[in-house]
Amino acid sequence: MKLGIVGLPNVGKSTLFNAITNAGAEAANYPFCTIDPNVGMVTVPDKRLEWLRDSYLPKKFTPAVIEFVDIAGLVKGASKGEGLGNKFLSNIRSTDAIVHVVRCFEDGSITHVEGSTDPLRDIEIINLELIMADIEMVERRIDKAEKAFKGGDKKYQQEAELLKRLLAHLNEGKLARTFPGTDDEMAMIGESDLLTLKKTIYAANLGEDEVASYEQSRHFQAVKQLADAEGSQVLPICAKLEADIAELDDPEEKAMFMQELGIAESGLDKLIQCSYELLGLISFLTAGSDECRAWTIKKGTKAPQAAGKIHTDFERGFIRAEVISFENMKECGTMANARAKGMIRSEGKDYVMQDGDIVNFLFNV
């Protein structure tokens, strides 16, 4: 999973990126200090996988991984090359989802590129630039489809008509992900890799004294209302506090500090949960003395396709899957006990994988 962190300059993007990846990206009080997109890989915390590791003591331990890309601050006119322009729009295009950091704190000592704190205005500025870039791409696709239709290929007539409806929607300042299309139409639109089609998490960056009582923040409530209306997620977070938490190496000290602040879990944990939920992802687990590993798949994935995540031969020669839920495994203590109690199920090609399944795939090529 690859998430792009975007936002206006000086809203806390790089501070948040540093906190969640410990990658040390430069964070400064001026626009465009992030010249190249910084990339950080973080492991997905999973207590189930840690339990399996402690039980099996494997040679290799492989959690799931999320890649975060910190993309330079966009400004008005980015779609026309202002600021650092289209270079950074293309960096967003390669991500699975967008984490849009929005400044929801008041601080006169930190320059705001628009002169004041107004999260809805800031969101509109970023979204408008993404819409403008999408309009250019849709216009090119319409032109291509119409030329193909004139050449005698009638299937492109339907595509051109759909894209014209989408173009009208975008020209009204609306996001592609709010386009009222059928499932088939949205699948066709999805081939365009549009920026405003990407699922979005709004990270509402609050002040240190606000994050524990974020529901009372008028700025947070404004962002939440907008996110709810477009089917996005909103995450209350304080990038400054997350940076302070990330600097603590001692787990007990970290837990005590968070308890004092009234923070139940770290911003990274909450962001990962949001990302999995937003993208419809789950994890299944494989365990043994050689390796304990988490594998990320889409909800609804069937056993053969899940096996294919490990190796294409597993899917091609799939016979069956031996499956036990993590809860049952933990209750039994060992795989041998689970087998003796008849807790391990034999599942076929139509089995839909569940979050936390521990699986052994049987195949023959």
Side-chain angles (χ1 to χ4, degrees), residues 130-173:
L130 302 184
I131 287 168
M132 295 291 285
D134 281 352
I135 285 173
E136 284 187 26
M137 179 170 277
V138 171
E139 285 175 340
R140 287 198 299 271
R141 273 202 67 185
I142 290 171
D143 186 53
K144 187 177 177 182
E146 286 184 332
K147 284 178 181 174
F149 173 54
K150 284 177 184 174
D153 196 336
K154 291 187 177 180
K155 73 175 183 181
Y156 287 101
Q157 181 181 14
Q158 182 184 0
E159 182 180 342
E161 289 172 355
L162 171 62
L163 291 172
K164 284 177 182 176
R165 281 168 46 213
L166 174 62
L167 182 61
H169 180 84
L170 293 169
N171 277 324
E172 290 175 5

Side-chain angles (χ1 to χ4, degrees), residues 84-99:
L84 294 169
N86 279 320
K87 178 181 176 185
F88 297 99
L89 294 176
S90 66
N91 290 328
I92 300 169
R93 215 175 288 286
S94 67
T95 62
D96 297 310
I98 293 171
V99 179

Side-chain angles (χ1 to χ4, degrees), residues 190-252:
E191 295 171 8
S192 303
D193 198 23
L194 299 176
L195 298 173
T196 64
L197 202 58
K198 291 185 182 296
K199 292 182 181 294
T200 297
I201 298 168
Y202 291 106
N205 190 12
L206 295 150
E208 295 174 63
D209 57 346
E210 297 176 298
V211 70
S213 54
Y214 62 87
E215 293 282 4
Q216 296 170 28
S217 164
R218 64 185 177 89
H219 290 321
F220 171 81
Q221 288 298 338
V223 176
K224 185 178 187 304
Q225 192 172 354
L226 181 142
D228 289 346
E230 66 178 43
S232 295
Q233 296 265 19
V234 62
L235 175 68
I237 202 164
C238 174
K240 175 65 171 65
L241 282 181
E242 292 300 326
D244 292 342
I245 292 168
E247 288 176 4
L248 300 174
D249 295 325
D250 186 330
E252 287 186 16

Side-chain angles (χ1 to χ4, degrees), residues 22-287:
N22 286 320
E26 183 181 3
N29 185 21
Y30 55 90
F32 313 129
C33 64
T34 313
I35 302 302
D36 292 315
N38 291 282
V39 178
M41 306 292 283
V42 301
T43 57
V44 175
D46 192 330
K47 294 191 182 302
R48 302 168 304 189
L49 190 65
E50 290 168 10
W51 185 90
L52 290 170
R53 175 197 61 195
D54 295 342
S55 299
Y56 280 93
L57 302 175
K59 296 171 189 170
K60 194 175 177 184
F61 175 67
T62 314
V65 170
I66 295 181
E67 182 178 340
F68 286 96
V69 184
D70 179 26
I71 296 162
L74 293 168
V75 293
K76 279 181 183 175
S79 60
K80 302 297 182 187
E82 289 296 325
L84 294 169
N86 279 320
K87 178 181 176 185
F88 297 99
L89 294 176
S90 66
N91 290 328
I92 300 169
R93 215 175 288 286
S94 67
T95 62
D96 297 310
I98 293 171
V99 179
H100 185 160
V101 182
V102 188
R103 177 167 165 172
C104 292
F105 65 88
E106 305 278 355
D107 188 338
S109 67
I110 300 177
T111 306
H112 192 294
V113 73
E114 291 296 319
S116 63
T117 300
D118 183 345
L120 294 188
R121 176 206 59 209
D122 294 354
I123 289 170
E124 186 178 2
I125 289 170
I126 296 289
N127 283 347
L128 187 58
E129 295 309 320
L130 302 184
I131 287 168
M132 295 291 285
D134 281 352
I135 285 173
E136 284 187 26
M137 179 170 277
V138 171
E139 285 175 340
R140 287 198 299 271
R141 273 202 67 185
I142 290 171
D143 186 53
K144 187 177 177 182
E146 286 184 332
K147 284 178 181 174
F149 173 54
K150 284 177 184 174
D153 196 336
K154 291 187 177 180
K155 73 175 183 181
Y156 287 101
Q157 181 181 14
Q158 182 184 0
E159 182 180 342
E161 289 172 355
L162 171 62
L163 291 172
K164 284 177 182 176
R165 281 168 46 213
L166 174 62
L167 182 61
H169 180 84
L170 293 169
N171 277 324
E172 290 175 5
K174 297 175 182 176
L175 308 170
R177 61 179 176 270
T178 65
F179 179 71
T182 65
D183 289 345
D184 287 344
E185 287 175 336
M186 295 309 289
M188 188 181 291
I189 289 169
E191 295 171 8
S192 303
D193 198 23
L194 299 176
L195 298 173
T196 64
L197 202 58
K198 291 185 182 296
K199 292 182 181 294
T200 297
I201 298 168
Y202 291 106
N205 190 12
L206 295 150
E208 295 174 63
D209 57 346
E210 297 176 298
V211 70
S213 54
Y214 62 87
E215 293 282 4
Q216 296 170 28
S217 164
R218 64 185 177 89
H219 290 321
F220 171 81
Q221 288 298 338
V223 176
K224 185 178 187 304
Q225 192 172 354
L226 181 142
D228 289 346
E230 66 178 43
S232 295
Q233 296 265 19
V234 62
L235 175 68
I237 202 164
C238 174
K240 175 65 171 65
L241 282 181
E242 292 300 326
D244 292 342
I245 292 168
E247 288 176 4
L248 300 174
D249 295 325
D250 186 330
E252 287 186 16
E253 189 180 355
K254 188 177 290 190
M256 195 179 302
F257 182 56
M258 288 170 62
Q259 190 175 2
E260 287 174 6
L261 296 169
I263 300 172
E265 54 186 338
S266 74
L268 174 60
D269 289 350
K270 289 189 286 187
L271 184 54
I272 288 171
Q273 288 167 19
C274 267
S275 305
Y276 269 66
E277 187 178 330
L278 189 69
L279 294 171
L281 302 174
I282 60 171
S283 294
F284 74 88
L285 312 169
T286 53

